[in-house]
Amino acid sequence: MPLTLQQLAPQLQKGLAPLYLLHGDEPLLEQEALDAIRSAARAQGFLERTAFVGAATQFDWSAVQAASASQSLFADKQIVEIRLPTGKPGKDGAAVLLKLAEQAAQDTSAQDNLLIVLLPRADRTMQQTPWFAAMERAGISLRIDPIARRDMPAWLAQRLKAQDQHVAAGDEGLHALAFFADCVEGNLMAAHQEVQKLGLLYPAGLITQAQIEASVLNVARYSINDLSEAILLGQSLRSQKVLDGLLAEGEAPVRLHSVLSADVLSLYFAKRAIDEGLPLPQALRQARVWGPKEKLFERLLPRLRLPLVSRLVQSAHIVDGINKGLKFPAWPQDAPSALQRLVMQMCRAAQAPISRR
């Protein structure tokens, strides 16, 4: 049964499920969810823990089976944890996981083993595998999503409240939280550490923006997906900030360009398909636009005309040449500056008014 993080604590209070499946890409939230499950399990007599790190090759899945099957009238109940860093257990692992899910589904009374499986974010392909579907049916599936930028101030306020601290009411507090969120954007572990540091530096009660500024380091960390999202939303200032952050962290301009040029080509193919009469959902599938980007493209495509997108394709081609050492008149000769110009062109296109064609 799929649950959100907010639903985990009430579920644990009702009783342990025989199986927990955690998948996501946010280490802090995963660890906190894992700690909550372990704590609830210890309270119910699960005093032993056996952990495995699985892979598609060179992994003995028979050891997992043996640990999961061990039961004794005198032994302590045990937690069996399986971490799959790639999310791909291989043929043998998939068979073992399917069998473990079936066993968990039948374990409705005396529960000697608690199974916890930890995965990276489960894409559509993984969710359609028999072993993943069986585990969702047999126990609790917990998808762990990163905290979105718009939700970060509220998340920080909640963390401060948990240690009896708070910001001022009204706009003053909102500005303080917004500043805090900007400093730690994309780096939830650092945000958690900075909140804890405020708890050590200052007593319970009001935390001012000046105190936050004096304490919090600029530990923002961005991903290429953050850059793509900001551009497709037409957020020029944020796009520039994210791009500068990625370049400062050592991200290669070639890799950044490969993602942005893929967005440009997807926009071109989708827009051309729509102009030829294809419905928007079908055009997106044809352009291979999936997941979170679907809504961004749905918002953006009505604003674009095909000639404008064609010019973006040409600009992306120029930046590709500059990355390879070629020179183009009226374009910067270094790859980061050329990439910045492409980003600004894409942002201006995303800010265009809706086309009435």
Side-chain angles (χ1 to χ4, degrees):
M1 177 176 65
L3 290 184
T4 64
L5 274 176
Q6 292 73 21
Q7 295 171 314
L8 177 61
Q11 189 278 323
L12 290 173
Q13 291 175 357
K14 296 177 182 178
L16 283 174
L19 184 157
Y20 288 88
L21 180 67
L22 280 61
H23 61 99
D25 296 321
E26 186 45 69
L28 173 67
L29 300 182
E30 178 191 270
Q31 188 60 50
E32 290 180 342
L34 184 57
D35 288 343
I37 297 170
R38 288 173 178 169
S39 178
R42 284 194 298 270
Q44 297 188 32
F46 289 83
L47 304 180
E48 293 186 2
R49 182 169 70 92
T50 305
F52 300 92
V53 179
T57 59
Q58 298 181 341
F59 181 74
D60 184 9
W61 282 96
S62 63
V64 177
Q65 284 184 294
S68 301
S70 62
Q71 297 179 356
S72 169
L73 293 174
F74 306 103
D76 290 324
K77 297 179 181 180
Q78 71 164 339
I79 302 171
V80 178
E81 293 179 11
I82 306 171
R83 185 178 293 274
L84 300 174
T86 66
K88 298 177 180 179
K91 183 178 179 181
D92 292 341
V96 171
L97 292 174
L98 183 58
K99 183 177 180 180
L100 293 178
E102 293 171 349
Q103 290 175 352
Q106 297 169 2
D107 188 6
T108 57
S109 55
Q111 185 179 338
D112 293 305
N113 293 316
L114 172 65
L115 181 63
I116 303 176
V117 179
L118 303 139
L119 304 166
R121 184 180 181 87
D123 57 18
R124 186 179 303 179
T125 300
M126 187 191 299
Q127 293 177 26
Q128 291 175 345
T129 58
W131 62 266
F132 188 97
M135 288 194 158
E136 274 202 320
R137 291 192 300 269
I140 299 297
S141 170
L142 197 66
R143 192 180 79 178
I144 302 173
D145 292 323
I147 304 298
R149 171 62 182 83
R150 65 180 180 274
D151 299 326
M152 184 64 78
W155 186 85
L156 291 168
Q158 184 182 33
R159 294 277 163 147
L160 288 171
K161 183 179 179 181
Q163 58 191 34
D164 297 323
Q165 292 178 318
H166 61 87
V167 297
D171 290 343
E172 182 182 349
L174 293 176
H175 290 157
L177 290 172
F179 170 81
F180 199 163
D182 286 340
C183 288
V184 298
E185 182 178 359
N187 195 340
L188 210 60
M189 186 66 76
H192 173 66
Q193 293 170 348
E194 294 298 332
V195 169
Q196 288 184 316
K197 187 167 71 173
L198 287 170
L200 295 173
L201 290 174
Y202 302 107
L206 179 67
I207 296 293
T208 67
Q209 181 166 338
Q211 290 172 326
I212 293 174
E213 290 177 359
S215 171
V216 176
L217 302 173
N218 188 353
V219 291
R221 186 184 67 205
Y222 303 106
S223 69
I224 296 180
N225 288 335
D226 293 326
L227 178 60
S228 177
E229 177 184 353
I231 291 172
L232 294 173
L233 288 171
Q235 298 172 342
S236 300
L237 293 177
R238 185 165 186 270
S239 297
Q240 190 64 55
K241 180 181 177 181
V242 175
L243 176 61
D244 290 344
L246 289 169
L247 292 172
E249 292 171 6
E251 193 66 68
V254 172
R255 184 164 180 259
L256 295 172
H257 173 262
S258 68
V259 174
L260 300 188
S261 61
D263 285 345
V264 169
L265 289 174
S266 293
L267 286 170
Y268 175 79
F269 290 125
K271 186 61 181 177
R272 189 175 68 179
I274 291 171
D275 287 354
E276 292 174 353
L278 214 60
L280 177 59
Q282 192 172 344
L284 291 176
R285 287 196 297 273
Q286 185 171 296
R288 303 185 67 80
V289 178
W290 316 106
K293 283 192 177 180
E294 288 184 63
K295 291 189 179 298
L296 297 173
F297 273 62
E298 288 172 0
R299 169 199 169 273
L300 182 53
L301 284 169
R303 300 173 180 271
L304 300 177
R305 296 186 178 225
L306 196 57
L308 173 60
V309 188
S310 298
R311 290 195 292 273
L312 290 179
V313 173
Q314 179 63 23
S315 293
H317 174 71
I318 289 173
V319 176
D320 179 59
I322 293 172
N323 281 329
K324 295 173 180 175
L326 302 179
K327 296 184 178 181
F328 293 85
W331 272 82
Q333 300 309 304
D334 62 293
S337 298
L339 195 60
Q340 289 174 343
R341 177 176 291 189
L342 175 62
V343 167
M344 290 301 101
Q345 288 182 356
M346 293 175 68
C347 284
R348 285 195 294 270
Q351 295 166 358
I354 296 178
S355 173
R356 299 301 179 185
R357 280 189 56 187

